[in-house]
Amino acid sequence: MPRILIVEDEANIADFLQRGLVYKGYEVDVAHDGESALAMARDRPPDLVVLDLMLPGLDGIEVCRRLRAASDVGIVVLTARDAVSDRIQGLEAGADDYVLKPFVFDELLARLRAVQRRRSPGSKDVIRIGDMEVDTAAREVRRRGGRISLTPKEYELLEVLARNARRVLSREAIFEKVWGYDHAGEADPVKVYVSYLRRKLGEPEVIHTVRGFGYVLRE
Amino acid sequence: MSLRLRLTLWYAVVLAAVLLMVFFSLQRFLNSWLLAEVDSRLESYAQEISSAISTSRAEGGATYQRVVRSIAREGFGAVPLFARVVSPDGEMVAFTLDMPTEFAPPDREALARVVSQGPFFDTGRARDGGELRLYSVPLEEGGRVNMVVQVGESLRAVASAITKLRQILIVASVVALVAAAMTGYLLAWQGLRPLDEVVALAEAVRGNQLGRRLAKKRRPAEVQRLADAFHSMLERLDQAFQQQRRFAYDVSHEVRTPLTALRGQIDVMLLDPDLPSGVRASLQRMAQECSRLIRLTSNLLLLASQEGGRPLNLARVDLDDLLIEVYQEAKVLAQDHVIRIDEQDQVAVRGDRDLLKQMMLNLVDNAIKYTPEGGTVILFLGRQGTWARFAVQDTGVGIAPEDLPSIFKPFYRARQPQRGRGGAGLGLAIVDWVVHSHHGQVRVESTVGKGSTFEVLLPLSESSLQQPSTESDAADSPALPTP
């Protein structure tokens, strides 16, 4: 169960973040200032940190820098729309991504999932399905020896399918894993990107549609 | 008529009047002065002849003719003079040689006047048409007038002197008038030129350029006063603008934290799948209103910081990712509408991610705002040549043709707002600003009663250009044709 450290001095914001993330299955710690955040991160190392850059006492940027120096934890900073320099400084201090206040919970969740996926990519091995190889270390795809050039999104989708090869994944599950949101609603990017992938991967078909449910990758 | 032209014309008119006065008085003065000279010459000539005749009479010798001819032969300076001696009844007894052609025959009336009243001057006409000055003097012998001496001088020289003077004066006046008019215009132009700077500045002043001032230099006092007044007005305007901006900024800044907390609390409550449907619906409405408030404050903040010259934070932006984010947020806003994506291509542009997102959200928000409940809002993301194309189509109320040119102006709202859903009229102004600061274009097509399509074109990033998606194929086609 991934552990998240929330560093936020506004009690009402920290509160909903905590409850929402717990609901989404994370283990959550909350710190209200920089010093206690650093101490907590030492005692119970988190997988992800949600860090408000406007903190009393120890400055958010500095907290970010020290967290980054101590570990390769995934860091998402919360920042103000007008504080462009904060945002840039935050990214330079080692943050993985930022979310502008006021934000929507789903968006923060999506960013956290994306950062988590990037920070802990799972086993770095080569997955083989028929005549196709997905090299998760190099993020490369080869088929019959030829390298196939994919966009980052296409690759991420293919990797999700490959890691679950021969298992049927629902559209929602794929959407959540690749885009980080829970509900796709009327938009169905999965379908669109699957069609891009199919075109690039060529014959014989490896991505199969399970009508009314989702997709499966098999030879 | 411009002030410059008017000043110049008045100059010229006054100068022309003065020149005319000078012209006539000079002519008069010269005329009487030259005439006086002629008269004094004639007087002394007549005097000479009279005394010569008296002398010769006393000696009892020479005839009138001989006396007159002897004097005429001696001449009288260089000026040609004529003389004759006439008896009171008009008989010419003596005359100088060229006499007959110059003088009109003796006039009895004139002779009678000399006899009765003494010497007098007269101006008559010579035979050749020129004027003659004539001086008649009575000669007395033994207490009665028995002869009249008449001397004369042609006034041709006087006339030609006056003609000369007139010519010179006319030429000189014309030259003076032209020179004065030109100088006047030049002076007026120079004197008023500093005004042009003030005018140029006044025209250049925009809401975000109130810091501009005129260069410091010497100006006419009147213009300087105007410039100073203008400067102080700019100063006050600038302050007012800054206060307004500061206020918008502070308010939006202050409400951000409570809004984040409010929206977050609602979002988290909505995570619970076991909510009673009434509570869920009510929470969703709250989330919607919250979103709208967030939109408004974000726009206000952006407007306030944009006028302060916020730099773009440029990076590669995957618009398809952004589209999903925008769609997710728009779902909350569009609870009474159908919202869907009909085209999503993988396109990237170089730009400021946050601004682009705000631009897209504003377009979607605008479409929802002006579409009645149950209407449809469709998003498109594709390519058009070297452009990324983002479009929002709605089945809303549409925009009247006369409103179309103004909808991108800040605070503009169509004359008849169709629905209660307000907005400060900022959304589209920000769309316009964001698109143009990304070197893109924004277009609207609209039919009243049927709906509108807003279309944004942004230059594709280089990497996006190198990887154009091929035309869609068969069944799983992602891109529906654009209506």
Side-chain angles (χ1 to χ4, degrees):
Chain A
M1 192 169 290
R3 183 193 299 281
I4 293 189
L5 173 60
I6 297 169
V7 190
E8 167 64 76
D9 61 316
E10 287 286 336
N12 284 334
I13 295 177
D15 172 68
F16 86 76
L17 285 178
Q18 183 176 22
R19 290 196 293 123
L21 291 172
V22 166
Y23 185 86
K24 285 293 170 186
Y26 292 94
E27 228 176 276
V28 179
D29 292 321
V30 178
H32 292 288
D33 58 68
E35 281 87 357
S36 57
L38 290 173
M40 258 183 223
R42 249 193 323 275
D43 297 344
R44 290 151 59 88
D47 302 295
L48 291 166
V49 177
V50 177
L51 172 63
D52 186 1
L53 284 184
M54 285 188 294
L55 284 178
L58 192 57
D59 168 46
I61 305 278
E62 186 53 33
V63 174
C64 184
R65 199 170 286 128
R66 292 195 197 171
L67 282 171
R68 173 57 68 239
S71 71
D72 60 351
V73 62
I75 304 173
V76 174
V77 295
L78 305 179
T79 171
R81 191 170 293 272
D82 47 311
V84 180
S85 58
D86 267 19
R87 197 175 314 162
I88 296 168
Q89 277 182 15
L91 293 176
E92 279 170 358
D96 294 272
D97 208 344
Y98 64 88
V99 174
L100 295 182
K101 274 184 177 180
F103 55 88
V104 178
F105 182 73
D106 283 347
E107 189 186 330
L108 175 68
L109 194 62
R111 298 291 177 88
L112 283 171
R113 282 169 174 164
V115 169
Q116 190 186 350
R117 200 178 53 237
R118 259 180 277 150
R119 279 283 165 189
S120 47
S123 54
K124 300 238 167 80
D125 47 12
V126 178
I127 305 166
R128 290 193 173 75
I129 300 105
D131 56 359
M132 185 175 72
E133 286 178 356
V134 179
D135 183 341
T136 59
R139 290 170 72 87
E140 270 183 18
V141 179
R142 287 179 293 274
R143 198 161 194 200
R144 294 187 286 272
R147 194 169 160 270
I148 296 168
S149 152
L150 298 180
T151 67
K153 257 308 168 278
E154 288 165 348
Y155 173 79
E156 280 166 30
L157 173 59
L158 184 61
E159 189 184 319
V160 165
L161 290 170
R163 283 190 188 279
N164 296 280
R166 286 171 287 276
R167 242 178 292 165
V168 179
L169 292 178
S170 71
R171 281 187 184 164
E172 307 272 83
I174 297 170
F175 185 59
E176 196 228 274
K177 282 184 197 302
V178 179
W179 280 272
Y181 286 93
D182 286 338
H183 308 288
E186 299 269 331
D188 194 355
V190 179
K191 184 171 150 191
V192 177
Y193 282 82
V194 162
S195 83
Y196 288 142
L197 265 181
R198 279 179 174 156
R199 204 178 306 145
K200 287 191 179 175
L201 295 177
E203 298 289 325
E205 204 72 89
V206 282
I207 303 174
H208 302 275
T209 307
V210 178
R211 288 257 167 249
F213 184 72
Y215 299 91
V216 59
L217 186 69
R218 70 173 119 74
E219 46 291 85
Chain B
M1 205 194 299
S2 80
L3 186 55
R4 275 163 203 176
L5 201 59
R6 215 167 342 158
L7 279 176
T8 310
L9 274 182
W10 273 111
Y11 249 149
V13 166
V14 169
L15 187 68
V18 169
L19 282 175
L20 228 59
M21 270 160 59
V22 168
F23 180 84
F24 282 113
S25 38
L26 211 58
Q27 193 178 321
R28 272 178 82 112
F29 168 75
L30 186 69
N31 195 38
S32 55
W33 186 68
L34 287 176
L35 217 55
E37 281 227 314
V38 170
D39 287 354
S40 88
R41 240 189 335 262
L42 288 177
E43 250 170 352
S44 66
Y45 191 26
Q47 182 64 45
E48 201 179 344
I49 291 173
S50 303
S51 55
I53 288 173
S54 306
T55 314
S56 93
R57 242 191 226 142
E59 286 165 0
T63 60
Y64 290 116
Q65 181 74 330
R66 204 187 289 149
V67 174
V68 169
R69 291 270 165 93
S70 77
I71 287 170
R73 221 179 289 124
E74 283 167 22
F76 195 86
V79 187
L81 292 166
F82 320 106
R84 65 181 173 199
V85 180
V86 187
S87 67
D89 49 5
E91 190 198 342
M92 220 184 301
V93 286
F95 50 88
T96 47
L97 278 177
D98 37 8
M99 195 70 239
T101 55
E102 291 296 340
F103 270 135
D107 172 357
R108 275 176 191 278
E109 263 178 60
L111 291 175
R113 202 173 136 203
V114 177
V115 172
S116 58
Q117 292 171 18
F120 77 94
F121 287 99
D122 186 20
T123 302
R125 202 145 283 280
R127 287 207 184 121
D128 61 356
E131 285 193 319
L132 270 178
R133 190 70 171 165
L134 199 65
Y135 185 44
S136 311
V137 186
L139 268 183
E140 287 179 28
E141 193 174 19
R144 69 177 192 90
V145 177
N146 68 342
M147 284 296 159
V148 174
V149 175
Q150 283 189 315
V151 291
E153 184 177 339
S154 166
L155 287 180
R156 215 179 295 135
V158 173
S160 90
I162 286 182
T163 310
K164 262 269 152 11
L165 174 78
R166 211 179 278 159
Q167 283 168 351
I168 290 170
L169 276 182
I170 285 172
V171 170
S173 300
V174 168
V175 169
L177 262 180
V178 169
M182 272 165 51
T183 315
Y185 189 78
L186 213 70
L187 280 175
W189 183 75
Q190 214 171 23
L192 293 176
R193 193 177 41 175
L195 279 183
D196 289 345
E197 291 175 68
V198 181
V199 170
L201 177 64
E203 280 171 349
V205 164
R206 297 279 181 281
N208 51 356
Q209 292 180 336
L210 291 173
R212 285 180 59 168
R213 295 291 181 270
L214 294 169
K216 277 219 185 318
K217 62 176 175 189
R218 287 178 60 87
R219 293 192 175 80
E222 298 88 339
V223 179
Q224 188 57 51
R225 272 220 316 277
L226 175 66
D228 289 345
F230 192 63
H231 278 169
S232 87
M233 186 193 73
L234 279 183
E235 205 76 44
R236 290 193 299 273
L237 259 181
D238 197 17
Q239 273 174 13
F241 266 105
Q242 270 175 15
Q243 271 170 13
Q244 182 210 25
R245 211 176 294 154
R246 189 77 229 167
F247 176 75
Y249 182 86
D250 287 347
V251 168
S252 334
H253 201 81
E254 284 301 316
V255 299
R256 180 164 40 201
T257 301
L259 268 181
T260 307
L262 195 59
R263 178 66 202 271
Q265 293 286 353
I266 297 170
D267 283 348
V268 169
M269 281 168 93
L270 281 169
L271 290 177
D272 182 357
D274 302 327
L275 278 178
S277 64
V279 175
R280 173 172 299 278
S282 162
L283 282 175
Q284 280 170 340
R285 295 282 157 195
M286 284 164 73
Q288 183 183 18
E289 293 307 324
C290 228
S291 280
R292 204 147 266 145
L293 268 177
I294 289 173
R295 215 86 304 289
L296 178 66
T297 51
S298 301
N299 283 342
L300 267 178
L301 258 180
L302 185 65
L303 203 74
S305 57
Q306 170 217 328
E307 293 198 334
R310 176 190 189 280
L312 294 186
N313 180 24
L314 291 178
R316 178 197 152 97
V317 180
D318 289 307
L319 287 183
D320 45 320
D321 279 0
L322 217 48
L323 181 72
I324 299 296
E325 266 180 36
V326 166
Y327 175 76
Q328 295 290 334
E329 212 162 318
K331 272 196 302 186
V332 179
L333 286 165
Q335 284 175 25
D336 306 310
H337 302 80
V338 178
I339 179 163
R340 60 168 205 263
I341 301 175
D342 272 9
E343 183 188 11
Q344 49 180 324
D345 201 344
Q346 303 185 75
V347 287
V349 298
R350 200 174 151 66
D352 188 313
R353 186 192 160 93
D354 304 324
L355 290 182
L356 289 172
K357 183 174 170 185
Q358 193 157 344
M359 177 273 286
M360 291 163 87
L361 267 172
N362 279 348
L363 280 179
V364 176
D365 188 25
N366 185 70
I368 295 168
K369 218 181 319 189
Y370 289 102
T371 301
E373 285 181 19
T376 308
V377 174
I378 310 170
L379 314 184
F380 302 87
L381 177 65
R383 291 161 195 265
Q384 191 171 303
T386 58
W387 301 88
R389 175 181 176 274
F390 172 68
V392 180
Q393 188 190 6
D394 65 50
T395 57
V397 294
I399 304 160
E402 64 265 27
D403 286 328
L404 273 179
S406 314
I407 54 171
F408 291 109
K409 289 179 190 157
F411 303 110
Y412 182 85
R413 296 172 70 183
R415 252 156 285 161
Q416 294 147 325
Q418 308 284 335
R419 291 160 28 88
R421 291 242 177 271
L426 288 177
L428 290 181
I430 284 173
V431 167
D432 189 58
W433 176 72
V434 171
V435 171
H436 285 106
S437 62
H438 282 79
H439 311 290
Q441 309 164 30
V442 57
R443 290 198 293 248
V444 202
E445 258 175 51
S446 190
T447 312
V448 172
K450 289 217 165 143
S452 316
T453 303
F454 282 78
E455 185 183 54
V456 168
L457 296 179
L458 297 169
L460 282 172
S461 77
E462 304 223 338
S463 56
S464 238
L465 279 174
Q466 287 159 7
Q467 207 179 52
S469 69
T470 45
E471 271 310 300
S472 45
D473 54 5
D476 243 352
S477 156
L480 291 178
T482 314

